[in-house]
Amino acid sequence: MTSSTDTTAELKPDNFRFSIRYPWRTLLLVKLLLFYALLLLQPELISLLKLPDFLFRPEYFSGAFLGFLIFAWFDLRSFMQQKNRVKNQFKKLWDNKRQLQQRAQTSASHTDKLKMFISDKLLEYIEYDEKYLHFRSIAAEVRHNGVISFDKVQSALQYAASHSLPDDNGSTALQYQEALSGMRYLWDLLDLSTTDNMAMHIGAHISRCEELLFQAELQGTALESLPLQPVFDPQQALLDTLRLHLGATLCDADGKPEPAALFQATTDAVHLTDSDGLFSIELQPCDRLAGNPNHLILLLENLLKNARYYATKKQYKSRFPPVSIRLWEAQQHLCLTLYNRGPHIADDDRGQIFKLGFSTRRARGHHGKGLGLYFVQQITQGFDGDIAFDNVHNRSDDYYLRLEYRDGSVEHLHLQQRLQDELPLVGLAGSENAAVAQFEQRLSKPLVTVEISSEGQPQVQRLDCSGGPVSWLDPQHPGLPRWLLQCSGRKGETLIFTPLDIRGVQFNLRLPTVSGRLDGAGTAGLQAPDVHELHSRFRGPDDF
């Protein structure tokens, strides 16, 4: 294979030599031989020129003629070699020229294609930016012209909510309150849509809320008496997002709809689901947040809509709720994890996922793409928080089951979970049978309890099987279960262990709480200033 240096050297014109050395020495010898023959034919010229007679003997002429033939043969041979070399170099030159033309044509074709691709994308982004700016101008016009109408509707709903009589279920006043919340959410959405910088707009509002908090703390004033409520409950914001904006009917752990946790504050952990089996929700006690609850609702709504979009696709159907939400507090920060079954986000899209106009949805006719996660990032920055995501993968593991029967006997099972094409398969350790999607074992005696642990989770879980056919999802990971254990049959005579496919995406959100802001832990990732550095000398850029 020719290297790039050799190719460049071959294409230089200086490497080609087209000169042919003419056989002038042979012509000179021909002339001398003809003159020699003339002297042999005219002896009087020899005496006239006073040349020695012995030079004109016949054997000398034969020797000179033979030497001429040999020299002429070598000279003509060299001439033909030069001619062939020049001919080959001409051919090579034309071949190189043809290759250069082909490369130029190929490069021109690639350049044209690249220009078309860039122009199409540029036109698409320009068109998208124009649409977004047009949407902002329309939202600004609606907000400007709708102030009076909004105030009238808000006043009417407030009056109706405060003067209405509750029905037997006590839901009339609640309906007015939900309608009032919806109107305020719509107004805040218009407010965000018309601002030039969403993060700065939210940050400025939170700064005003912090100022009210400090004033209330210094003056000893109750927050409820302030004209603007500077704090809100993030748990209630999450519940309102699910109920009012996603239309989910929330249930408690026993499946009872509309549990009391939806309407009253609690200091205990709450586990909720929905009637469609789509959401698994875990709420831990957490501090309040500063700012507008509708901003957090908009963030959660966009995340949850994306999660629901992928989790409800047929190919990602699962035997557990495909969307898991967990809310808790850690180090004066509100932490939220949102997992959904679905495709992984490609590494190439990791730096683009939160940009305006970028969307992982490839469906045709999808309008408004690229706004949801852009809003999420802008709102997160406005709250001085951070957001990231991780792809969730299946993994191999070893499970240890201890089966205790009614007669007191005990049986141990060692199950190995391995991956094939990223899907979990399980098989009995040491068995020659191939791994399967679910492991089944017939039980000859009534089963009382099952204890299960694994290499990844050595803590033992004890499950009661004395009540007949039952099924359990991994209790150590209620939002993201790794396995499903079932005792089927009328008397629970078959034990079934199923490893679950948990491939998906998990978003991690962190926002500073009110106590964190008051204590100076508002901005994530910033370190406290070192006061000793104030007296240090000036340093140049090279000192850092």
Side-chain angles (χ1 to χ4, degrees):
M1 184 176 180
T2 306
S3 63
S4 59
T5 306
D6 297 338
T7 305
T8 306
E10 289 179 359
L11 299 179
K12 292 182 178 180
D14 297 340
N15 293 338
F16 294 99
R17 299 183 61 183
F18 302 112
S19 61
I20 300 178
R21 190 164 48 193
Y22 198 74
W24 57 270
R25 291 169 294 188
T26 302
L27 296 177
L28 180 60
L29 289 178
V30 168
K31 293 179 179 180
L32 291 176
L33 189 60
L34 291 176
F35 183 68
Y36 188 69
L38 179 63
L39 292 178
L40 290 177
L41 296 176
Q42 300 292 335
E44 61 272 13
L45 294 176
I46 297 174
S47 60
L48 181 63
L49 296 175
K50 297 178 181 182
L51 296 175
D53 294 336
F54 70 91
L55 293 177
F56 298 98
R57 294 177 182 176
E59 58 271 17
Y60 283 176
F61 177 78
S62 300
F65 184 73
L66 181 60
F68 165 75
L69 291 178
I70 294 174
F71 185 83
W73 183 80
F74 278 107
D75 202 13
L76 290 174
R77 182 170 175 265
S78 176
F79 175 78
M80 295 303 296
Q81 288 178 350
Q82 294 180 37
K83 182 180 177 182
N84 292 333
R85 184 171 63 251
V86 170
K87 183 179 179 181
N88 292 333
Q89 288 182 347
F90 265 113
K91 183 179 179 181
K92 186 183 295 184
L93 178 63
W94 284 111
D95 291 342
N96 290 336
K97 184 178 180 181
R98 192 180 302 110
Q99 291 179 3
L100 286 175
Q101 289 177 347
Q102 291 177 354
R103 291 180 184 177
Q105 292 175 358
T106 303
S107 300
S109 176
H110 290 171
T111 303
D112 292 339
K113 291 180 180 179
L114 183 60
K115 287 181 179 179
M116 292 294 295
F117 176 77
I118 294 176
S119 62
D120 291 343
K121 288 295 180 182
L122 187 60
L123 289 175
E124 180 180 346
Y125 282 117
I126 291 176
E127 181 182 1
Y128 186 81
D129 290 340
E130 290 179 351
K131 289 181 178 179
Y132 183 65
L133 293 174
H134 184 59
F135 162 74
R136 281 176 49 188
S137 63
I138 294 177
E141 190 70 18
V142 172
R143 184 179 181 276
H144 176 72
N145 296 330
V147 174
I148 299 177
S149 300
F150 171 75
D151 289 338
K152 289 182 178 180
V153 173
Q154 180 176 239
S155 301
L157 289 175
Q158 288 176 343
Y159 180 83
S162 59
H163 291 79
S164 62
L165 296 176
D167 55 9
D168 296 337
N169 297 325
S171 60
T172 304
L174 180 62
Q175 291 178 356
Y176 285 121
Q177 188 63 38
E178 291 177 353
L180 181 61
S181 300
M183 282 297 299
R184 289 172 177 170
Y185 175 76
L186 175 61
W187 189 255
D188 290 332
L189 180 59
L190 286 173
D191 196 27
L192 286 178
S193 302
T194 56
T195 183
D196 293 329
N197 191 311
M198 193 179 299
M200 292 184 63
H201 177 80
I202 296 175
H205 177 74
I206 293 178
S207 297
R208 291 194 296 271
C209 294
E210 288 180 347
E211 184 178 352
L212 292 175
L213 282 174
F214 285 120
Q215 290 178 358
E217 185 174 0
L218 292 174
Q219 298 174 0
T221 307
L223 297 179
E224 291 75 11
S225 62
L226 297 177
L228 172 66
Q229 290 301 314
V231 296
F232 65 92
D233 183 10
Q235 289 188 356
Q236 192 60 46
L238 175 59
L239 296 177
D240 289 344
T241 304
L242 292 168
R243 293 174 55 251
L244 305 181
H245 299 276
L246 297 181
T249 302
L250 299 181
C251 309
D252 58 13
D254 299 327
K256 297 179 181 179
E258 301 294 331
L262 300 180
F263 311 104
Q264 60 184 13
T266 177
T267 57
D268 299 328
V270 178
H271 294 272
L272 302 173
T273 60
D274 69 312
S275 58
D276 297 328
L278 181 62
F279 298 102
S280 173
I281 307 154
E282 179 184 350
L283 302 177
Q284 298 285 347
C286 56
D287 195 7
R288 296 169 297 177
L289 296 182
N292 189 338
N294 288 330
H295 296 161
L296 182 61
I297 289 176
L298 178 59
L299 183 152
L300 296 173
E301 181 183 2
N302 283 290
L303 283 178
L304 289 170
K305 282 184 176 179
N306 276 345
R308 184 175 62 179
Y309 173 80
Y310 291 108
T312 53
K313 288 185 174 295
K314 185 177 180 180
Q315 61 266 37
Y316 303 115
K317 185 178 180 181
S318 60
R319 305 180 72 170
F320 58 94
V323 180
S324 173
I325 310 163
R326 183 168 180 259
L327 188 71
W328 78 101
E329 182 183 350
Q331 298 179 354
Q332 295 184 324
H333 281 79
L334 174 74
C335 301
L336 182 139
T337 58
L338 173 61
Y339 159 83
N340 68 272
R341 281 276 291 134
H344 290 161
I345 299 177
D347 292 336
D348 296 338
D349 297 337
R350 186 172 290 271
Q352 309 286 332
I353 196 70
F354 294 108
K355 288 187 176 180
L356 176 63
F358 183 84
S359 175
T360 56
R361 302 190 190 183
R362 308 301 183 191
R364 293 183 178 180
H366 174 60
H367 302 288
K369 61 180 181 180
L371 284 176
L373 292 181
Y374 170 74
F375 283 173
V376 167
Q377 187 196 42
Q378 291 293 307
I379 296 172
T380 303
Q381 291 177 355
F383 274 97
D384 293 332
D386 51 63
I387 186 171
F389 70 89
D390 296 300
N391 291 324
V392 179
H393 302 268
N394 293 318
R395 61 186 181 186
S396 301
D397 206 346
D398 286 7
Y399 293 95
Y400 304 96
L401 279 69
R402 181 182 180 274
L403 311 182
E404 183 179 349
Y405 296 100
R406 186 172 298 173
D407 60 359
S409 59
V410 176
E411 182 180 2
H412 295 273
L413 296 178
H414 178 195
L415 302 180
Q416 292 181 330
Q417 176 179 315
R418 298 296 179 261
L419 301 182
Q420 182 175 347
D421 297 332
E422 299 184 0
L423 294 176
L425 300 178
V426 66
L428 192 63
S431 175
E432 297 181 354
N433 298 328
V436 292
Q438 64 180 18
F439 173 80
E440 297 185 11
Q441 175 158 328
R442 300 286 296 179
L443 304 176
S444 58
K445 294 173 287 187
L447 188 63
V448 178
T449 59
V450 175
E451 295 181 358
I452 182 171
S453 62
S454 66
E455 293 288 344
Q457 295 290 337
Q459 182 179 357
V460 178
Q461 298 292 325
R462 185 179 179 87
L463 309 174
D464 186 11
C465 304
S466 58
V470 288
S471 63
W472 300 276
L473 287 170
D474 182 4
Q476 284 189 320
H477 308 88
L480 191 59
R482 269 63 170 177
W483 48 264
L484 172 66
L485 188 65
Q486 297 172 291
C487 288
S488 63
R490 292 184 177 180
K491 298 181 180 180
E493 61 268 14
T494 303
L495 181 69
I496 303 175
F497 180 86
T498 307
L500 300 177
D501 184 8
I502 60 172
R503 289 176 298 174
V505 178
Q506 178 172 289
F507 281 86
N508 304 298
L509 177 68
R510 205 166 68 107
L511 305 177
T513 61
V514 171
S515 59
R517 290 184 178 277
L518 294 177
D519 295 340
T523 304
L526 294 182
Q527 298 179 353
D530 188 358
V531 295
H532 300 291
E533 292 289 331
L534 297 176
H535 303 287
S536 62
R537 64 180 181 84
F538 289 103
R539 292 175 291 176
D542 297 334
D543 297 332
F544 292 91

